[in-house]
Amino acid sequence: MVTKTVYLQDNEEMLNVFGPQDENLRMIENEFDVSLVTYGNTLMIKGQKAKVSQAYRMVQELSEQVRRGYRIDRKGFRNIVDNSRFYTDKTEAKTTIPDKDNEDSICYTIKGKKIAPRSKNQKKYVQAIKKYDMVFGVGPAGTGKTYLAVAMAIAALRAEKVFRIILTRPVVEAGEKLGFLPGDLYDKVDPYLRPLYDAFYEIMGAEEFHHLRDEGVIEIVPLAYMRGRTLNDAFIVLDEAQNTNPEQMKMFLTRIGFETTTVIVGDITQIDLQNKKQSGLVQIRHILKGISGIKFIDFTGRDVVRHVLVKKIIKAYEEFEETTAKGTK
């Protein structure tokens, strides 16, 4: 039997972590087969070592989410439980951001939720965007690469550090040719750009987004439309960069003007080009190696902030690809 102690900051945090009538504590006891004892703002967790470690991480995650301004409903509680079970070794458990890093908050959503990095790599990513003129975020789906870049762009716009936001991505046809889709060119490319709208809707709301887009303050355009432009005083995000070819990547990177922050994000495991070896994102790391003012941040499955199943799927793929690679040697 072992005991671990959690110290909560104040009564409000305690009430939110414990839940209505200590509902969260009872569920933690049932889920992890531990005993919880409270003394004021102190929570003691008793039980077998492995179970206590899982429950301890669970309470820490609950406490962190509360301090960031999130409301924990039953679905959110379930996801945190699954995350606590999924990561078992000490290295993975340390990916949670410590309490002292709450100053890394970026902005708030339209519903008042605080947006802040939730893993070590996300924190490095946000800090890099603040420090460097050009940042590459490379890693699997669900790691917050695009979402955090959009949040940083909106924060920079509201602080008048930039005067426009430009989001772009390559239009890669996957089975259905653009020419056969209905409507004009904007209608044809809209399905490819639609995923970029989601973060704006969540953070600033559809009404403000459409107003700023109509005013030209926010642009969401296909990558081909970037040719010939020079972009000053802007925050630029290139999404799905793994689907650029080397010529497109060079064209994009040479659009950058003065007082501009550029973030390039992509996942080299999801290249839709016919010749995957010709991805501009794969090639560019070698070309730009050693150039000051540029930073590469690599994300892993540990940084996934979507449903815990996404973590499991990514980890399964990583193990499968590793096994396959060994088998072909």
PDB file of all heavy atoms in Angstrom, residues 65 67-73 76 105-116 118 147 151 158 202-203:
ATOM      1  N   GLN A  65      -7.177  21.134 -15.623  1.00  0.00           N
ATOM      2  CA  GLN A  65      -8.274  21.592 -16.478  1.00  0.00           C
ATOM      3  C   GLN A  65      -9.120  22.650 -15.763  1.00  0.00           C
ATOM      4  O   GLN A  65      -9.545  23.636 -16.367  1.00  0.00           O
ATOM      5  CB  GLN A  65      -9.156  20.401 -16.879  1.00  0.00           C
ATOM      6  CG  GLN A  65      -8.451  19.331 -17.702  1.00  0.00           C
ATOM      7  CD  GLN A  65      -8.000  19.847 -19.048  1.00  0.00           C
ATOM      8  OE1 GLN A  65      -8.566  20.781 -19.582  1.00  0.00           O
ATOM      9  NE2 GLN A  65      -6.965  19.246 -19.590  1.00  0.00           N
ATOM     10  N   ARG A  67      -8.097  24.729 -13.425  1.00  0.00           N
ATOM     11  CA  ARG A  67      -7.327  25.964 -13.342  1.00  0.00           C
ATOM     12  C   ARG A  67      -7.285  26.697 -14.687  1.00  0.00           C
ATOM     13  O   ARG A  67      -7.092  27.910 -14.726  1.00  0.00           O
ATOM     14  CB  ARG A  67      -5.904  25.667 -12.871  1.00  0.00           C
ATOM     15  CG  ARG A  67      -5.856  25.208 -11.420  1.00  0.00           C
ATOM     16  CD  ARG A  67      -4.467  24.783 -11.010  1.00  0.00           C
ATOM     17  NE  ARG A  67      -4.476  24.141  -9.702  1.00  0.00           N
ATOM     18  CZ  ARG A  67      -3.407  23.626  -9.118  1.00  0.00           C
ATOM     19  NH1 ARG A  67      -2.238  23.684  -9.725  1.00  0.00           N
ATOM     20  NH2 ARG A  67      -3.502  23.050  -7.941  1.00  0.00           N
ATOM     21  N   ARG A  68      -7.431  25.959 -15.768  1.00  0.00           N
ATOM     22  CA  ARG A  68      -7.435  26.576 -17.102  1.00  0.00           C
ATOM     23  C   ARG A  68      -8.816  27.105 -17.477  1.00  0.00           C
ATOM     24  O   ARG A  68      -9.000  27.650 -18.554  1.00  0.00           O
ATOM     25  CB  ARG A  68      -6.962  25.571 -18.149  1.00  0.00           C
ATOM     26  CG  ARG A  68      -5.494  25.176 -18.006  1.00  0.00           C
ATOM     27  CD  ARG A  68      -5.064  24.314 -19.181  1.00  0.00           C
ATOM     28  NE  ARG A  68      -3.736  23.786 -18.988  1.00  0.00           N
ATOM     29  CZ  ARG A  68      -2.604  24.457 -19.177  1.00  0.00           C
ATOM     30  NH1 ARG A  68      -2.666  25.716 -19.563  1.00  0.00           N
ATOM     31  NH2 ARG A  68      -1.438  23.900 -18.987  1.00  0.00           N
ATOM     32  N   GLY A  69      -9.791  26.910 -16.595  1.00  0.00           N
ATOM     33  CA  GLY A  69     -11.108  27.473 -16.844  1.00  0.00           C
ATOM     34  C   GLY A  69     -12.095  26.530 -17.504  1.00  0.00           C
ATOM     35  O   GLY A  69     -13.184  26.941 -17.895  1.00  0.00           O
ATOM     36  N   TYR A  70     -11.743  25.247 -17.651  1.00  0.00           N
ATOM     37  CA  TYR A  70     -12.647  24.301 -18.291  1.00  0.00           C
ATOM     38  C   TYR A  70     -13.645  23.748 -17.284  1.00  0.00           C
ATOM     39  O   TYR A  70     -13.321  23.547 -16.113  1.00  0.00           O
ATOM     40  CB  TYR A  70     -11.869  23.136 -18.913  1.00  0.00           C
ATOM     41  CG  TYR A  70     -11.006  23.519 -20.074  1.00  0.00           C
ATOM     42  CD1 TYR A  70      -9.623  23.663 -19.918  1.00  0.00           C
ATOM     43  CD2 TYR A  70     -11.542  23.742 -21.336  1.00  0.00           C
ATOM     44  CE1 TYR A  70      -8.820  24.018 -20.988  1.00  0.00           C
ATOM     45  CE2 TYR A  70     -10.746  24.095 -22.406  1.00  0.00           C
ATOM     46  CZ  TYR A  70      -9.387  24.238 -22.218  1.00  0.00           C
ATOM     47  OH  TYR A  70      -8.590  24.589 -23.275  1.00  0.00           O
ATOM     48  N   ARG A  71     -14.824  23.480 -17.774  1.00  0.00           N
ATOM     49  CA  ARG A  71     -15.827  22.784 -16.966  1.00  0.00           C
ATOM     50  C   ARG A  71     -15.778  21.305 -17.328  1.00  0.00           C
ATOM     51  O   ARG A  71     -15.872  20.952 -18.503  1.00  0.00           O
ATOM     52  CB  ARG A  71     -17.226  23.351 -17.224  1.00  0.00           C
ATOM     53  CG  ARG A  71     -17.418  24.758 -16.675  1.00  0.00           C
ATOM     54  CD  ARG A  71     -18.858  25.203 -16.813  1.00  0.00           C
ATOM     55  NE  ARG A  71     -19.079  26.486 -16.186  1.00  0.00           N
ATOM     56  CZ  ARG A  71     -19.352  26.647 -14.908  1.00  0.00           C
ATOM     57  NH1 ARG A  71     -19.446  25.596 -14.128  1.00  0.00           N
ATOM     58  NH2 ARG A  71     -19.540  27.840 -14.408  1.00  0.00           N
ATOM     59  N   ILE A  72     -15.660  20.450 -16.350  1.00  0.00           N
ATOM     60  CA  ILE A  72     -15.510  19.020 -16.598  1.00  0.00           C
ATOM     61  C   ILE A  72     -16.870  18.341 -16.517  1.00  0.00           C
ATOM     62  O   ILE A  72     -17.430  18.157 -15.437  1.00  0.00           O
ATOM     63  CB  ILE A  72     -14.544  18.374 -15.568  1.00  0.00           C
ATOM     64  CG1 ILE A  72     -13.233  19.161 -15.504  1.00  0.00           C
ATOM     65  CG2 ILE A  72     -14.290  16.923 -15.930  1.00  0.00           C
ATOM     66  CD1 ILE A  72     -12.478  19.200 -16.800  1.00  0.00           C
ATOM     67  N   ASP A  73     -17.416  17.974 -17.684  1.00  0.00           N
ATOM     68  CA  ASP A  73     -18.663  17.216 -17.690  1.00  0.00           C
ATOM     69  C   ASP A  73     -18.329  15.726 -17.676  1.00  0.00           C
ATOM     70  O   ASP A  73     -17.164  15.323 -17.609  1.00  0.00           O
ATOM     71  CB  ASP A  73     -19.520  17.584 -18.902  1.00  0.00           C
ATOM     72  CG  ASP A  73     -18.772  17.394 -20.219  1.00  0.00           C
ATOM     73  OD1 ASP A  73     -17.738  16.682 -20.227  1.00  0.00           O
ATOM     74  OD2 ASP A  73     -19.216  17.943 -21.243  1.00  0.00           O
ATOM     75  N   GLY A  76     -16.042  14.643 -20.558  1.00  0.00           N
ATOM     76  CA  GLY A  76     -14.676  15.086 -20.334  1.00  0.00           C
ATOM     77  C   GLY A  76     -13.989  14.275 -19.254  1.00  0.00           C
ATOM     78  O   GLY A  76     -12.805  13.932 -19.362  1.00  0.00           O
ATOM     79  N   SER A 105      -1.315  30.865 -21.449  1.00  0.00           N
ATOM     80  CA  SER A 105      -2.630  30.997 -22.066  1.00  0.00           C
ATOM     81  C   SER A 105      -2.558  31.929 -23.270  1.00  0.00           C
ATOM     82  O   SER A 105      -1.912  32.971 -23.226  1.00  0.00           O
ATOM     83  CB  SER A 105      -3.647  31.532 -21.056  1.00  0.00           C
ATOM     84  OG  SER A 105      -3.768  30.640 -19.968  1.00  0.00           O
ATOM     85  N   ILE A 106      -3.240  31.536 -24.340  1.00  0.00           N
ATOM     86  CA  ILE A 106      -3.175  32.290 -25.591  1.00  0.00           C
ATOM     87  C   ILE A 106      -4.354  33.245 -25.717  1.00  0.00           C
ATOM     88  O   ILE A 106      -4.191  34.446 -25.892  1.00  0.00           O
ATOM     89  CB  ILE A 106      -3.147  31.321 -26.790  1.00  0.00           C
ATOM     90  CG1 ILE A 106      -1.938  30.389 -26.682  1.00  0.00           C
ATOM     91  CG2 ILE A 106      -3.128  32.097 -28.104  1.00  0.00           C
ATOM     92  CD1 ILE A 106      -1.968  29.222 -27.655  1.00  0.00           C
ATOM     93  N   CYS A 107      -5.561  32.714 -25.623  1.00  0.00           N
ATOM     94  CA  CYS A 107      -6.771  33.520 -25.726  1.00  0.00           C
ATOM     95  C   CYS A 107      -7.938  32.677 -25.221  1.00  0.00           C
ATOM     96  O   CYS A 107      -7.725  31.606 -24.650  1.00  0.00           O
ATOM     97  CB  CYS A 107      -7.002  33.998 -27.169  1.00  0.00           C
ATOM     98  SG  CYS A 107      -7.190  32.652 -28.371  1.00  0.00           S
ATOM     99  N   TYR A 108      -9.165  33.154 -25.441  1.00  0.00           N
ATOM    100  CA  TYR A 108     -10.352  32.444 -24.993  1.00  0.00           C
ATOM    101  C   TYR A 108     -11.265  32.163 -26.184  1.00  0.00           C
ATOM    102  O   TYR A 108     -11.297  32.927 -27.157  1.00  0.00           O
ATOM    103  CB  TYR A 108     -11.124  33.259 -23.951  1.00  0.00           C
ATOM    104  CG  TYR A 108     -10.402  33.372 -22.626  1.00  0.00           C
ATOM    105  CD1 TYR A 108      -9.414  34.332 -22.435  1.00  0.00           C
ATOM    106  CD2 TYR A 108     -10.696  32.516 -21.576  1.00  0.00           C
ATOM    107  CE1 TYR A 108      -8.740  34.439 -21.226  1.00  0.00           C
ATOM    108  CE2 TYR A 108     -10.036  32.613 -20.361  1.00  0.00           C
ATOM    109  CZ  TYR A 108      -9.065  33.577 -20.190  1.00  0.00           C
ATOM    110  OH  TYR A 108      -8.397  33.670 -18.997  1.00  0.00           O
ATOM    111  N   THR A 109     -12.008  31.072 -26.091  1.00  0.00           N
ATOM    112  CA  THR A 109     -12.983  30.776 -27.129  1.00  0.00           C
ATOM    113  C   THR A 109     -14.210  31.659 -26.948  1.00  0.00           C
ATOM    114  O   THR A 109     -14.348  32.367 -25.954  1.00  0.00           O
ATOM    115  CB  THR A 109     -13.420  29.300 -27.078  1.00  0.00           C
ATOM    116  OG1 THR A 109     -14.205  29.090 -25.881  1.00  0.00           O
ATOM    117  CG2 THR A 109     -12.227  28.362 -27.054  1.00  0.00           C
ATOM    118  N   ILE A 110     -15.120  31.585 -27.903  1.00  0.00           N
ATOM    119  CA  ILE A 110     -16.338  32.384 -27.851  1.00  0.00           C
ATOM    120  C   ILE A 110     -17.188  31.992 -26.636  1.00  0.00           C
ATOM    121  O   ILE A 110     -17.975  32.788 -26.130  1.00  0.00           O
ATOM    122  CB  ILE A 110     -17.163  32.201 -29.157  1.00  0.00           C
ATOM    123  CG1 ILE A 110     -18.280  33.239 -29.255  1.00  0.00           C
ATOM    124  CG2 ILE A 110     -17.686  30.803 -29.263  1.00  0.00           C
ATOM    125  CD1 ILE A 110     -17.802  34.639 -29.483  1.00  0.00           C
ATOM    126  N   LYS A 111     -16.976  30.765 -26.120  1.00  0.00           N
ATOM    127  CA  LYS A 111     -17.711  30.294 -24.950  1.00  0.00           C
ATOM    128  C   LYS A 111     -16.957  30.550 -23.645  1.00  0.00           C
ATOM    129  O   LYS A 111     -17.385  30.124 -22.584  1.00  0.00           O
ATOM    130  CB  LYS A 111     -18.026  28.807 -25.087  1.00  0.00           C
ATOM    131  CG  LYS A 111     -18.991  28.484 -26.230  1.00  0.00           C
ATOM    132  CD  LYS A 111     -19.321  27.007 -26.264  1.00  0.00           C
ATOM    133  CE  LYS A 111     -20.318  26.686 -27.374  1.00  0.00           C
ATOM    134  NZ  LYS A 111     -20.643  25.239 -27.436  1.00  0.00           N
ATOM    135  N   GLY A 112     -15.819  31.227 -23.737  1.00  0.00           N
ATOM    136  CA  GLY A 112     -15.082  31.593 -22.540  1.00  0.00           C
ATOM    137  C   GLY A 112     -14.075  30.574 -22.065  1.00  0.00           C
ATOM    138  O   GLY A 112     -13.495  30.735 -20.985  1.00  0.00           O
ATOM    139  N   LYS A 113     -13.796  29.533 -22.854  1.00  0.00           N
ATOM    140  CA  LYS A 113     -12.805  28.547 -22.460  1.00  0.00           C
ATOM    141  C   LYS A 113     -11.402  29.062 -22.787  1.00  0.00           C
ATOM    142  O   LYS A 113     -11.163  29.631 -23.845  1.00  0.00           O
ATOM    143  CB  LYS A 113     -13.038  27.215 -23.188  1.00  0.00           C
ATOM    144  CG  LYS A 113     -14.269  26.463 -22.718  1.00  0.00           C
ATOM    145  CD  LYS A 113     -14.363  25.115 -23.404  1.00  0.00           C
ATOM    146  CE  LYS A 113     -15.561  24.324 -22.899  1.00  0.00           C
ATOM    147  NZ  LYS A 113     -15.658  22.989 -23.565  1.00  0.00           N
ATOM    148  N   LYS A 114     -10.490  28.832 -21.859  1.00  0.00           N
ATOM    149  CA  LYS A 114      -9.122  29.283 -22.036  1.00  0.00           C
ATOM    150  C   LYS A 114      -8.379  28.349 -22.982  1.00  0.00           C
ATOM    151  O   LYS A 114      -8.487  27.120 -22.876  1.00  0.00           O
ATOM    152  CB  LYS A 114      -8.423  29.323 -20.677  1.00  0.00           C
ATOM    153  CG  LYS A 114      -7.064  30.013 -20.672  1.00  0.00           C
ATOM    154  CD  LYS A 114      -6.437  29.951 -19.299  1.00  0.00           C
ATOM    155  CE  LYS A 114      -7.262  30.679 -18.267  1.00  0.00           C
ATOM    156  NZ  LYS A 114      -6.615  30.675 -16.939  1.00  0.00           N
ATOM    157  N   ILE A 115      -7.615  28.909 -23.908  1.00  0.00           N
ATOM    158  CA  ILE A 115      -6.804  28.120 -24.831  1.00  0.00           C
ATOM    159  C   ILE A 115      -5.350  28.242 -24.399  1.00  0.00           C
ATOM    160  O   ILE A 115      -4.811  29.341 -24.296  1.00  0.00           O
ATOM    161  CB  ILE A 115      -6.962  28.604 -26.284  1.00  0.00           C
ATOM    162  CG1 ILE A 115      -8.415  28.480 -26.728  1.00  0.00           C
ATOM    163  CG2 ILE A 115      -6.053  27.807 -27.213  1.00  0.00           C
ATOM    164  CD1 ILE A 115      -8.680  29.071 -28.100  1.00  0.00           C
ATOM    165  N   ALA A 116      -4.719  27.113 -24.135  1.00  0.00           N
ATOM    166  CA  ALA A 116      -3.334  27.092 -23.684  1.00  0.00           C
ATOM    167  C   ALA A 116      -2.718  25.768 -24.091  1.00  0.00           C
ATOM    168  O   ALA A 116      -3.424  24.783 -24.316  1.00  0.00           O
ATOM    169  CB  ALA A 116      -3.265  27.265 -22.160  1.00  0.00           C
ATOM    170  N   ARG A 118      -1.142  22.150 -23.878  1.00  0.00           N
ATOM    171  CA  ARG A 118      -1.484  21.097 -22.927  1.00  0.00           C
ATOM    172  C   ARG A 118      -0.448  19.980 -22.891  1.00  0.00           C
ATOM    173  O   ARG A 118      -0.667  18.958 -22.263  1.00  0.00           O
ATOM    174  CB  ARG A 118      -2.868  20.534 -23.259  1.00  0.00           C
ATOM    175  CG  ARG A 118      -3.981  21.562 -23.128  1.00  0.00           C
ATOM    176  CD  ARG A 118      -5.309  21.016 -23.585  1.00  0.00           C
ATOM    177  NE  ARG A 118      -5.749  19.880 -22.803  1.00  0.00           N
ATOM    178  CZ  ARG A 118      -6.838  19.167 -23.073  1.00  0.00           C
ATOM    179  NH1 ARG A 118      -7.588  19.494 -24.117  1.00  0.00           N
ATOM    180  NH2 ARG A 118      -7.170  18.150 -22.327  1.00  0.00           N
ATOM    181  N   TYR A 147      -4.729  24.264 -34.813  1.00  0.00           N
ATOM    182  CA  TYR A 147      -5.589  24.974 -33.864  1.00  0.00           C
ATOM    183  C   TYR A 147      -4.805  26.005 -33.067  1.00  0.00           C
ATOM    184  O   TYR A 147      -5.227  27.162 -32.920  1.00  0.00           O
ATOM    185  CB  TYR A 147      -6.260  23.973 -32.930  1.00  0.00           C
ATOM    186  CG  TYR A 147      -7.293  24.587 -32.010  1.00  0.00           C
ATOM    187  CD1 TYR A 147      -8.594  24.801 -32.449  1.00  0.00           C
ATOM    188  CD2 TYR A 147      -6.962  24.944 -30.713  1.00  0.00           C
ATOM    189  CE1 TYR A 147      -9.549  25.364 -31.608  1.00  0.00           C
ATOM    190  CE2 TYR A 147      -7.904  25.507 -29.865  1.00  0.00           C
ATOM    191  CZ  TYR A 147      -9.203  25.712 -30.322  1.00  0.00           C
ATOM    192  OH  TYR A 147     -10.124  26.279 -29.490  1.00  0.00           O
ATOM    193  N   ALA A 151      -5.064  30.078 -33.046  1.00  0.00           N
ATOM    194  CA  ALA A 151      -5.252  30.823 -31.802  1.00  0.00           C
ATOM    195  C   ALA A 151      -4.176  31.895 -31.639  1.00  0.00           C
ATOM    196  O   ALA A 151      -4.465  33.029 -31.246  1.00  0.00           O
ATOM    197  CB  ALA A 151      -5.231  29.867 -30.607  1.00  0.00           C
ATOM    198  N   ARG A 158      -5.610  40.603 -32.521  1.00  0.00           N
ATOM    199  CA  ARG A 158      -6.307  41.404 -31.513  1.00  0.00           C
ATOM    200  C   ARG A 158      -5.349  42.331 -30.773  1.00  0.00           C
ATOM    201  O   ARG A 158      -5.751  43.402 -30.323  1.00  0.00           O
ATOM    202  CB  ARG A 158      -7.020  40.469 -30.531  1.00  0.00           C
ATOM    203  CG  ARG A 158      -8.234  39.770 -31.151  1.00  0.00           C
ATOM    204  CD  ARG A 158      -8.830  38.729 -30.228  1.00  0.00           C
ATOM    205  NE  ARG A 158     -10.087  38.201 -30.768  1.00  0.00           N
ATOM    206  CZ  ARG A 158     -10.739  37.165 -30.262  1.00  0.00           C
ATOM    207  NH1 ARG A 158     -10.263  36.538 -29.202  1.00  0.00           N
ATOM    208  NH2 ARG A 158     -11.863  36.749 -30.818  1.00  0.00           N
ATOM    209  N   GLU A 202     -14.829  28.369 -33.489  1.00  0.00           N
ATOM    210  CA  GLU A 202     -14.806  28.056 -32.062  1.00  0.00           C
ATOM    211  C   GLU A 202     -14.223  29.206 -31.242  1.00  0.00           C
ATOM    212  O   GLU A 202     -14.692  29.491 -30.139  1.00  0.00           O
ATOM    213  CB  GLU A 202     -13.993  26.785 -31.801  1.00  0.00           C
ATOM    214  CG  GLU A 202     -13.985  26.369 -30.332  1.00  0.00           C
ATOM    215  CD  GLU A 202     -13.333  25.030 -30.099  1.00  0.00           C
ATOM    216  OE1 GLU A 202     -13.280  24.221 -31.053  1.00  0.00           O
ATOM    217  OE2 GLU A 202     -12.867  24.786 -28.980  1.00  0.00           O
ATOM    218  N   ILE A 203     -13.204  29.864 -31.780  1.00  0.00           N
ATOM    219  CA  ILE A 203     -12.511  30.896 -31.000  1.00  0.00           C
ATOM    220  C   ILE A 203     -13.223  32.239 -31.065  1.00  0.00           C
ATOM    221  O   ILE A 203     -13.461  32.887 -30.041  1.00  0.00           O
ATOM    222  CB  ILE A 203     -11.050  31.042 -31.470  1.00  0.00           C
ATOM    223  CG1 ILE A 203     -10.294  29.736 -31.213  1.00  0.00           C
ATOM    224  CG2 ILE A 203     -10.361  32.190 -30.728  1.00  0.00           C
ATOM    225  CD1 ILE A 203      -8.907  29.697 -31.820  1.00  0.00           C
TER     226      ILE A 203
END
